[in-house]
């Protein structure tokens, strides 16, 4: 929504408003309330005073650049009158909201070129971006707009003198008037949150906003960095905002502009200059800028580059000369507190700054040792000194500085190869940085030890340092990175909170005493063999890839070892560990991933909730007594032989693949899931003990556990909640204990149980055993056709049946024989009779709950016949793939949605009456296109058809198939990209 705003405060405007039936302007108390407590009367409509809207006949606007709106002209005249007579404390604005954007855009385009508030002025984002606007105007125009006089009054910025007449009034469409009272104080408050680009945008709204946005309070800081501004424009800005306190200038005409600035802006406090040449006259005139407190000069040439520059100012507090080119510099500023000459190219510096407490001369490569010494010692109040990358600094200079600057607390002498700190005493030092100082050795620690107030010590890349032994009561942080000869660390500091030791290949011994250290990370310390810790608050330790750590490390982190609060311990890839024993009441997480040499693991950690053993493939004995684990996966330990677990909260245990596990003692009263797949040595005795101690087990997987026999199955009576039992690939011959004791069983898997006889499942379909059973998997079994027929005939409560690979299974024929539905009858099938008795008998047949039937890879199935009378109304998924001899498929299932006949190479006949079928897979079927077309024509919801590698279906058949089934969305064919 675009806004058109004008001001109206005169009596004539009031009369015009009454004549046009416009809302009455509000008083100030209408916005802020009435303070008179005695006046309690008010109208019912008082709540609507602040926002008042009224719809009145609209006027159309021409799009050819000419204004044809009489209302717009009237409003602009009202704005001009209001600008002359309004009260400065009661400015109010009317906002005409054009909800159809074409109205405002036409109005604005008709005023192009009339004033700075028109659409031609464009966006003001360029103030922070490119120095030039797209039309070539400079950023100065944005400032000039807000300071323009009456010659650019707002009335002419809204509409041009149009050629319209009174007849145009009736053509304006649906203009809604919203009046909002805005005082100068309120605008000032709102605009105080805007930056300069947005202030320039606000100036385009109306005359009042233009005046408010130009207030000097918002332009105390003037930024002319990289601006293409002329000298005259700059002078105009300085005249308009003489009280500016901060200014930034850079560019080619830097010298001219800065001289104008310091001569006209007497209230400047912050001056930032850069990327140019500043002549010496500027520094002479600098004293005239008496209010200046901060001077920043970056990447500039001072003077002619070879002369001495003098900076003399009585009130200057902060001086920064970064990357400046000058031969000599003298600074005489009695109030100067901080000074930076970082990366400046100078050979001499003279300081007369008695109050200077922070000096940065980092990377001043040309400064000689004597000049640095003279500069620093001339500042007795110095607290912080950065002389990094000053390669000429010597120990003598540091000793002089230590004597002259007694309060020095911060020192950065990094990359100073000549210092060794010999005989240097800095007792008040709190931060010391000595990166890449080749002269720092173990002897230097004696000097550092005298800095008893030291809090931060950084010794990165000190290549000759071999050992560090410090007893500093205030040390909080220490860094030792890439010290290639560093071998021994001994720290005693009660408030140490951070330590970083990394890439020190020779480090073999660490001894730390601290009451504040909470986290210790010592990754990839290949030579570390000895670790002694007395850290009462230590909670996290990471010793990953410390390949030389021995079994003695366990005593450090056990109870009594010096880390009573330890919660997390990471020992990943510590390949020298062979026997791990932890006794800890605080340990919560333990990671031993990749510790391939561990053979014995004993954990007595009652609060342990997480353990990682990935890659511990040589583990033979494991004891978790007691632990707080809720789940545990030991399937990644193929050599595990003896296992003992006592976990009161464990609910899931996976032993899949522990092929040599012969002895397991489990005391997990809350255990609900146990996977012992492929535990070939697991005995009946072990299973009986487990079921007795874990009575809440719901899921028990014993696949490929050949040692499990009848005694083991009898122990299942202790599991009243058992719902899933997997006995696949076992040698069982009798399932009677299962039928008798597992009344809640829902899933029974008997894949490849080749020793089960035809009568093994008789209690299931004759005796009514397992009434809650829903899923039965008999894949790759040896049951005969009659046993399967009787099973499916009586167990109508089954929802999922898998008969994959059953070689004794013949035709899947659910037709009708002798007036009764034969669930899987023999070869002779009679058609359904039409007598009343037959219909009555059919209606009494129980409805099958079967939803998913899998007969994948059954080589002897030749015909599948599922008629409507089979009562398979719940069947959703039918998978007959890889049945190589299947020739005929006749399926009538009202709810079938997925049918897979892929790789049924002999299929010739396909009859489908499945109106809800959505996916049909016929990949590699030897079926002709006429049969497919007839089949899909009765599947009105079919979306996906796969006929890839069907030799009798050509690429031209795709169109016929789509015509036969209009619902098809995807046809997969090796001959076409349909």
């Amino acid at each position: 929504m675009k806004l058109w705003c004008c001001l109206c405060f005169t009596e004539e405007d009031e009369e015009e408003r009454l004549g046009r039936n416009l809302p009455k302007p509000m008083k100030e108390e209408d916005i802020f309330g009435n303070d008179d407590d005695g006046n309690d009367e008010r109208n019912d409509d008082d709540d609507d005073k602040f926002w008042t809207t009224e719809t009145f006949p609209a006027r159309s606007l021409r799009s050819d650049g000419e204004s044809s709106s009489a209302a717009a002209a009237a409003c602009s005249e009202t704005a001009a009158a209001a600008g002359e007579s309004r009260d400065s404390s009661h400015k109010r604005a009317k906002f005409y909201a054009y909800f159809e954007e074409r109205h405002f855009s036409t109005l604005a385009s008709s005023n192009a070129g009339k004033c700075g508030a028109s659409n031609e002025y464009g966006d003001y984002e360029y103030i922070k971006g490119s120095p030039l606007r797209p039309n070539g105007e400079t950023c100065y125009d944005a400032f000039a707009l807000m300071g323009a006089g009456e010659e650019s009054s707002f009335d002419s910025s809204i509409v041009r003198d149009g050629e319209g007449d009174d007849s145009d009034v009736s053509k304006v469409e649906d203009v809604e008037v919203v009046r909002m009272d805005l005082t100068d104080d309120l605008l000032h408050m709102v605009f105080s949150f805007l930056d300069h680009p947005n202030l320039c945008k606000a100036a385009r709204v109306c005359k009042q906003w233009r005046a408010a946005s130009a207030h000097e309070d918002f332009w105390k800081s003037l930024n002319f960095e990289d601006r293409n501004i002329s000298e005259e424009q700059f002078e105009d800005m300085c005249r308009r905002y003489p009280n500016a306190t901060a200014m930034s200038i850079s560019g080619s005409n830097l010298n001219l502009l800065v001289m104008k600035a310091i001569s006209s802006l007497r209230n400047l406090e912050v001056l930032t200059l850069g990327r140019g040449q500043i002549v010496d006259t500027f520094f002479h005139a600098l004293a005239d800028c008496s209010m200046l407190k901060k001077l920043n000069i970056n990447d500039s040439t001072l003077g002619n580059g070879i002369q001495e520059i003098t900076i003399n100012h009585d009130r200057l507090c902060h001086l920064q000369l970064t990357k400046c080119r000058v031969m000599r510099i003298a600074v005489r500023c009695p109030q100067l507190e901080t000074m930076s000459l970082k990366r400046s190219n100078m050979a001499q510096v003279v300081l007369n700054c008695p109050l200077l407490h922070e000096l940065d001369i980092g990377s001043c490569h040309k400064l000689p040792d004597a000049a640095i010494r003279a500069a620093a010692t001339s500042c007795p109040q110095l607290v912080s000194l950065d002389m990094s990358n000053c390669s000429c600094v010597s120990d003598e200079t540091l000793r002089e500085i230590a004597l002259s600057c007694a309060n020095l607390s911060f020192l950065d002498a990094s990359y100073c190869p000549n210092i060794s700190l010999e005989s240097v005493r800095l007792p008040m030092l709190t931060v010391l940085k000595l990166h890449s100082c080749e002269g720092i050795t173990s002897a230097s620690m004696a000097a550092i030890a005298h800095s008893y107030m030291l809090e931060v010590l950084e010794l990165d890349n000190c290549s000759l340092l071999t050992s560090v032994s410090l007893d500093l009561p205030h040390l909080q942080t220490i860094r030792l990175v890439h010290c290639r000869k560093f071998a021994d660390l001994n720290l005693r500091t009660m408030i140490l909170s951070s330590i970083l030791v990394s890439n020190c290949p020779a480090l073999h011994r660490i001894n730390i005493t601290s009451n504040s250290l909470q986290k210790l990370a010592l990754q990839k310390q290949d030579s570390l063999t000895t670790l002694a810790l007395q850290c009462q608050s230590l909670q996290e330790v990471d010793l990953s890839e410390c390949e030389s750590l021995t079994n003695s490390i366990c005593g450090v982190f056990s109870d009594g070892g010096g880390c009573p609060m330890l919660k997390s311990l990471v020992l990943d890839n510590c390949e020298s560990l062979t026997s791990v024993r932890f006794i800890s009441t605080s340990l919560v997480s333990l990671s031993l991933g990749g510790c391939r040499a561990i053979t014995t693991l004993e954990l007595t950690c009652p609060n342990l909730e997480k353990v990682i053993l990935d890659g511990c493939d040589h583990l033979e004995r494991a004891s978790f007594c007691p632990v707080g684990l809720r789940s545990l996966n030991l399937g990644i330990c193929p050599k595990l032989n003896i296992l003992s677990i006592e976990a009161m909260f464990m609910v899931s245990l996976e032993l899949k693949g522990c092929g040599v596990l012969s002895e397991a003692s489990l005391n997990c009263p809350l255990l609900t899931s146990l996977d012992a797949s492929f535990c070939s040595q697991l005995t009946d005795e072990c299973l009986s003990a487990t079921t007795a101690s874990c009575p809440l087990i719901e899921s028990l997987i014993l696949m490929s556990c050949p040692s499990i026999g009848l005694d083991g199955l009898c122990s299942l009576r202790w599991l009243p909640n058992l719902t899933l039992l997997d006995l696949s690939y076992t040698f069982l011959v009798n399932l009677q204990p299962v039928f008798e004791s597992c009344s809640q069983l829902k899933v029974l898997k008997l894949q490849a149980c080749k020793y089960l006889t035809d009568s093994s499942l008789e209690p299931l379909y004759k005796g009514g055993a397992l009434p809650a059973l829903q899923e039965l998997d008999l894949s790759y079994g040896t049951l005969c056709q009659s046993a399967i027929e009787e099973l499916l005939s009586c167990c109508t409560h089954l929802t999922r049946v898998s008969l994959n690979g059953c070689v004794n299974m013949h035709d899947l024929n659910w037709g009708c024989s002798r007036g009764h539905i034969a669930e899987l009858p023999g070869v002779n099938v009679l058609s359904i009779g039409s007598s009343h008795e037959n219909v009555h008998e059919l209606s009494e047949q129980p409805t099958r709950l079967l939803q998913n039937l899998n007969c994948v890879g059954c080589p002897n199935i030749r015909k599948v016949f599922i008629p409507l009378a089979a009562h398979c109304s719940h069947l959703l998924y039918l998978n007959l793939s890889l049945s190589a001899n299947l020739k005929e498929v006749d399926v009538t299932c009202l709810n079938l949605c997925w049918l897979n006949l892929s790789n049924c190479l002999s299929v010739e006949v396909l009859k489908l009456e499945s109106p809800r079928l959505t996916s049909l897979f016929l990949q590699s079927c030897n079926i002709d296109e006429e049969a497919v077309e007839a089949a899909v024509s009765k599947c009105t919801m079919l979306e996906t058809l796969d006929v890839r590698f069907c030799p009798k279906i050509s690429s031209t058949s795709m169109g016929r198939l789509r015509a036969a089934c209009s619902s098809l969305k995807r046809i997969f064919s090796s001959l076409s990209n349909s």
Side-chain angles (χ1 to χ4, degrees):
M1 181 179 71
K2 299 292 185 179
L3 295 179
W4 168 30
C5 172
C6 64
L7 305 176
C8 40
F9 300 100
T10 65
E11 294 180 359
E12 292 81 356
D13 295 334
E14 177 69 6
E15 294 174 0
E16 181 185 357
R17 185 195 63 79
L18 292 176
R20 296 174 55 193
N21 195 24
L22 295 178
K24 181 179 180 180
M26 297 184 300
K27 299 180 181 180
E28 186 172 348
E29 54 267 26
D30 291 336
I31 300 176
F32 300 102
N34 196 328
D35 295 333
D36 186 3
D37 296 335
N39 187 8
D40 294 332
E41 298 181 2
R42 53 183 296 181
N43 297 328
D44 295 337
D45 298 333
D46 285 348
D47 293 336
D48 300 329
K49 283 186 176 181
F50 188 79
W51 294 102
T52 304
T53 62
E54 181 175 326
T55 304
F56 52 91
R59 307 170 181 85
S60 63
L61 299 176
R62 298 179 182 175
S63 60
D64 57 355
E66 296 181 357
S67 171
S68 62
S69 172
C75 291
S76 64
E77 293 172 1
T78 303
E84 298 174 357
S85 61
R86 61 183 179 176
D87 187 309
S88 61
S89 64
H90 290 81
K91 298 180 181 178
R92 295 176 173 83
K94 285 184 180 179
F95 289 79
Y96 292 86
Y98 286 77
F99 288 91
E100 294 185 9
E101 182 151 348
R102 65 185 181 86
H103 295 163
F104 183 80
S105 61
T106 305
L107 176 65
S109 63
S110 67
N111 299 297
K114 294 293 289 183
C115 70
S118 67
N119 267 6
E120 182 188 271
Y121 192 77
D123 202 342
Y124 292 87
E125 292 294 344
Y126 67 89
I127 289 183
K128 284 188 175 181
S130 172
L132 288 176
R133 300 198 300 131
N135 61 4
E137 297 178 12
T138 66
C139 68
Y140 167 77
D141 298 324
F143 300 106
L145 167 68
M146 295 174 294
E150 294 301 325
E151 64 276 13
S152 59
S153 61
F154 183 76
D155 54 352
S156 62
S157 70
I158 299 300
V159 293
R160 297 178 58 185
D161 294 335
E163 298 177 359
D165 51 33
D166 294 339
S167 63
D168 293 331
V169 175
S170 60
K171 298 180 182 179
V172 182
E173 300 175 354
D174 295 339
V175 178
E176 187 171 315
V177 176
V178 180
R179 187 192 63 192
M180 180 170 61
D181 284 3
L182 296 174
T183 64
D184 282 349
D185 290 340
L186 181 57
L187 272 180
H188 192 279
M189 181 185 301
V190 173
F191 285 1
S192 66
F193 294 97
L194 301 182
D195 56 11
H196 287 177
N198 285 315
L199 283 171
C200 292
K201 292 179 181 179
R204 294 183 295 170
V205 174
C206 64
K207 185 175 182 179
Q208 182 194 12
W209 284 32
R210 183 169 69 243
S213 62
H215 196 283
E216 65 177 0
D217 286 353
F218 309 136
W219 302 93
K220 292 289 187 181
S221 177
L222 304 179
N223 186 353
F224 295 99
E225 291 185 2
D226 299 317
R227 304 299 181 192
N228 186 12
I229 185 171
S230 67
E231 185 177 353
E232 293 76 12
Q233 292 172 335
F234 184 82
E235 290 179 353
D236 182 50
M237 289 301 302
C238 292
R239 283 195 303 270
R240 184 169 297 124
Y241 300 108
N243 294 321
T245 59
M247 177 172 284
S248 299
I249 310 173
S250 65
S252 57
N253 56 349
L254 169 63
N255 191 63
L256 292 175
L257 299 184
V258 71
M259 294 303 296
K260 295 290 183 182
I262 62 176
S263 62
S264 56
L265 302 178
R266 296 300 181 179
N267 293 319
L268 270 183
E269 297 180 1
V270 179
L271 182 58
T272 301
L273 311 174
R275 292 187 294 279
Q277 182 174 7
I278 304 175
V279 299
D280 56 349
T281 55
F282 163 76
F283 297 100
H284 295 318
L286 192 62
D288 297 335
C289 200
S290 59
M291 304 298 293
L292 191 64
K293 295 182 179 179
K294 185 174 183 179
L295 175 61
N296 299 328
I297 303 178
N298 178 54
D299 194 13
S300 299
T301 300
L302 308 185
N304 57 13
I306 59 174
Q307 65 184 117
E308 179 175 333
I309 295 298
T310 300
I311 300 177
N312 191 349
H313 199 284
D314 293 337
R315 291 193 177 184
L316 193 64
C317 297
H318 307 281
L319 176 61
Q320 180 174 327
L321 305 178
T322 306
K323 295 175 64 177
C324 290
R325 296 165 291 279
V326 61
M327 182 61 68
R328 296 167 53 89
I329 186 170
V331 181
R332 298 179 180 86
C333 301
Q335 301 296 323
L336 195 64
E337 299 176 0
T338 65
M339 179 177 178
S340 175
L341 303 175
K342 201 173 190 70
R343 301 177 66 186
S344 291
N345 186 8
M346 60 186 67
Q348 186 67 32
V349 58
V350 178
L351 301 182
N352 185 3
C353 309
L355 299 182
L356 189 69
H357 64 259
E358 182 176 329
L359 176 61
D360 184 354
I361 53 175
S363 300
C364 293
H365 301 288
K366 289 189 176 181
L367 271 181
D369 185 35
I372 296 174
R373 184 187 315 169
T377 56
S378 65
C379 305
Q381 302 298 322
L382 201 61
V383 174
S384 173
L385 176 59
D386 185 346
M387 56 174 61
S388 57
N389 279 291
C390 294
S391 57
C392 297
V393 177
S394 64
D395 284 335
E396 180 63 27
T397 294
L398 288 180
R399 284 192 289 269
E400 292 291 334
I401 292 174
L403 294 175
S404 302
C405 307
N407 296 320
L408 189 65
S409 61
F410 178 96
L411 176 61
D412 188 349
S414 301
Y415 303 96
C416 297
N418 297 326
I419 64 172
S420 64
L421 298 184
E422 182 182 353
S423 302
V424 177
R425 302 291 182 265
L426 295 166
M428 301 303 294
L429 204 61
T430 59
V431 178
L432 177 59
K433 298 182 179 182
L434 298 171
H435 297 191
S436 300
C437 293
E438 298 177 0
I440 297 298
T441 64
S442 301
S444 305
M445 297 303 107
I448 296 177
H450 286 84
S451 301
Y452 60 90
M453 299 295 292
L454 195 63
E455 298 177 0
V456 178
L457 176 61
E458 298 181 5
L459 298 169
D460 296 0
N461 292 291
C462 293
S463 56
L464 299 180
L465 184 64
T466 58
S467 65
V468 172
S469 181
L470 295 172
D471 185 354
L472 296 172
H474 299 283
L475 188 64
Q476 300 178 20
T477 302
I478 185 171
R479 283 175 53 100
L480 291 157
V481 180
H482 291 290
C483 299
R484 63 176 184 268
K485 293 186 178 181
F486 182 59
D488 191 354
L489 175 61
N490 188 359
L491 293 177
R492 182 178 179 83
T493 169
M494 292 298 103
I495 64 173
L496 183 69
S497 59
S498 174
I499 178 172
L500 177 60
V501 179
S502 177
N503 293 296
C504 298
L507 181 63
H508 65 269
R509 181 177 178 275
I510 295 179
N511 188 349
I512 300 175
T513 301
S514 172
N515 290 335
S516 300
L517 188 64
Q518 296 185 1
K519 185 174 181 180
L520 178 62
L522 299 170
Q523 302 100 322
K524 297 183 179 180
Q525 302 304 318
D526 297 339
S527 301
L528 185 63
T529 57
T530 304
L531 180 63
L533 300 175
Q534 291 296 325
C535 303
Q536 303 302 311
S537 300
L538 189 61
Q539 297 184 16
E540 299 180 28
V541 176
D542 188 347
L543 297 172
S544 302
E545 301 183 53
C546 294
E547 298 179 355
S548 299
L549 281 179
T550 62
N551 297 333
S552 61
I553 195 67
C554 300
V556 177
F557 301 113
S558 295
D559 289 346
C563 303
M565 302 294 292
L566 186 65
K567 293 183 179 180
S568 174
L569 176 59
V570 180
L571 295 170
D572 293 347
N573 299 304
C574 295
E575 298 185 357
S576 296
L577 296 178
T578 58
S579 180
V580 176
R581 294 177 174 85
F582 287 112
I583 302 175
S584 174
T585 56
S586 62
L587 194 62
V588 175
S589 175
L590 173 64
S591 180
L592 296 169
C595 297
R596 303 183 182 278
I598 293 180
T599 58
T600 303
L601 176 63
E602 296 182 13
L603 300 179
T604 304
C605 307
N607 294 312
L608 186 66
E609 297 179 359
K610 180 180 179 182
V611 61
I612 298 176
L613 299 173
D614 295 357
C616 297
D617 46 17
H618 288 81
L619 184 64
E620 299 177 359
R621 293 171 173 262
S623 174
F624 303 85
C625 301
V627 291
L629 294 171
R630 296 182 179 273
S631 63
L632 179 61
N633 181 8
L634 294 173
I636 48 182
C637 304
K639 295 185 178 181
L640 186 64
N641 184 27
I642 300 176
L643 174 64
S644 178
I645 300 178
E646 181 182 338
M648 298 296 103
F649 305 104
M650 184 173 290
V651 296
S652 176
L653 175 61
E654 184 170 338
L655 302 174
K656 184 176 182 179
C658 296
V660 296
L661 182 64
S662 59
E663 183 179 339
S665 174
L666 306 180
N667 182 13
C668 308
L670 299 182
L671 190 68
T672 59
S673 176
L674 174 60
D675 186 350
S677 305
F678 303 100
C679 293
S680 56
Q681 304 297 322
L682 194 65
T683 62
D684 290 344
E685 195 176 306
C686 181
L687 180 59
S688 299
T690 299
T691 56
S693 60
C694 307
L696 299 182
I697 290 179
E698 298 177 2
S699 174
L700 179 61
I701 301 177
L702 299 173
M703 182 172 62
S704 295
C705 294
S707 300
I708 298 297
L710 189 62
D711 292 339
L713 293 185
C714 291
S715 68
L716 298 181
R717 66 182 183 274
W718 301 111
L719 305 177
N721 300 321
L722 188 65
T723 59
L724 186 151
L725 178 61
D726 190 347
L727 297 173
S728 303
Y729 297 92
T730 57
F731 300 149
L732 296 170
V733 296
N734 190 350
L735 298 177
Q736 191 63 34
V738 176
F739 298 140
E740 292 177 352
S741 58
C742 301
S743 59
Q744 301 298 320
L745 199 64
K746 295 181 180 180
V747 180
L748 178 60
K749 297 185 178 182
L750 300 171
Q751 294 183 31
C753 293
K754 298 185 180 298
Y755 290 90
L756 289 177
T757 63
D758 293 345
S759 60
S760 298
L761 298 179
E762 285 186 359
L764 188 61
Y765 55 83
K766 289 185 178 181
L770 305 181
L773 191 65
Q774 298 177 3
E775 181 177 341
L776 179 63
D777 191 346
L778 298 173
S779 300
Y780 310 106
T782 57
L783 296 182
C784 67
Q785 175 79 11
S786 60
I788 295 176
E789 288 178 0
E790 292 189 58
L791 175 70
L792 296 179
S793 175
C794 298
C795 298
T796 57
H797 55 280
L798 292 175
T799 61
R800 181 185 179 96
V801 176
S802 294
L803 300 169
N804 304 327
C806 292
V807 295
N808 295 329
M809 184 178 176
H810 302 292
D811 293 352
L812 184 62
N813 196 330
W814 290 0
C816 186
S817 178
R818 296 180 302 277
H820 298 278
I821 294 181
E823 307 303 320
L824 280 173
V827 176
N828 295 325
V829 181
L830 300 179
S831 61
I832 300 176
S834 59
S835 66
H836 173 75
E837 293 78 7
N838 287 340
V839 174
H840 179 70
E841 290 177 359
L842 290 175
S843 63
E844 291 181 350
Q845 295 299 322
T847 301
R848 304 172 188 269
L849 300 180
L850 188 63
Q851 298 178 9
N852 193 315
L853 178 60
N854 292 309
C855 298
V856 178
C858 297
N860 295 321
I861 293 183
R862 292 177 174 82
K863 179 178 180 180
V864 173
F865 178 45
I866 304 178
L868 183 62
H871 290 278
C872 294
S873 60
H874 293 83
L875 188 61
L876 301 176
Y877 301 92
L878 179 59
N879 193 348
L880 301 167
S881 60
L882 296 171
S883 297
N885 295 314
L886 181 62
K887 293 186 176 181
E888 182 178 350
V889 177
D890 188 349
V891 177
T892 303
C893 293
L894 299 181
N895 291 311
L896 186 68
C897 64
W898 193 89
L899 176 60
N900 190 356
L901 296 172
S902 298
N903 294 286
C904 295
L905 305 179
S906 301
V907 170
E908 297 176 354
V909 178
L910 178 61
K911 298 179 180 179
L912 298 177
E913 291 190 18
S914 302
R916 296 189 178 180
L917 187 68
T918 59
S919 299
L920 176 60
F921 300 91
L922 300 172
Q923 185 176 354
S924 300
C925 290
N926 192 26
I927 188 172
D928 55 39
E929 58 189 49
E930 289 79 9
V932 176
E933 182 180 353
V936 301
S937 64
K938 297 182 180 181
C939 302
T940 57
M941 299 181 66
L942 188 64
E943 296 181 355
T944 301
L945 176 62
D946 189 349
V947 291
R948 286 176 291 182
F949 310 112
C950 294
K952 294 184 179 181
I953 299 179
S954 63
S955 59
T956 60
S957 303
M958 301 300 106
R960 295 177 56 188
L961 294 176
R962 291 187 180 275
C965 183
S966 59
S967 61
L968 269 176
K969 296 181 179 179
R970 294 170 293 274
I971 299 180
F972 296 99
S973 171
S974 57
L975 303 175
S976 173
N977 295 325
S978 298

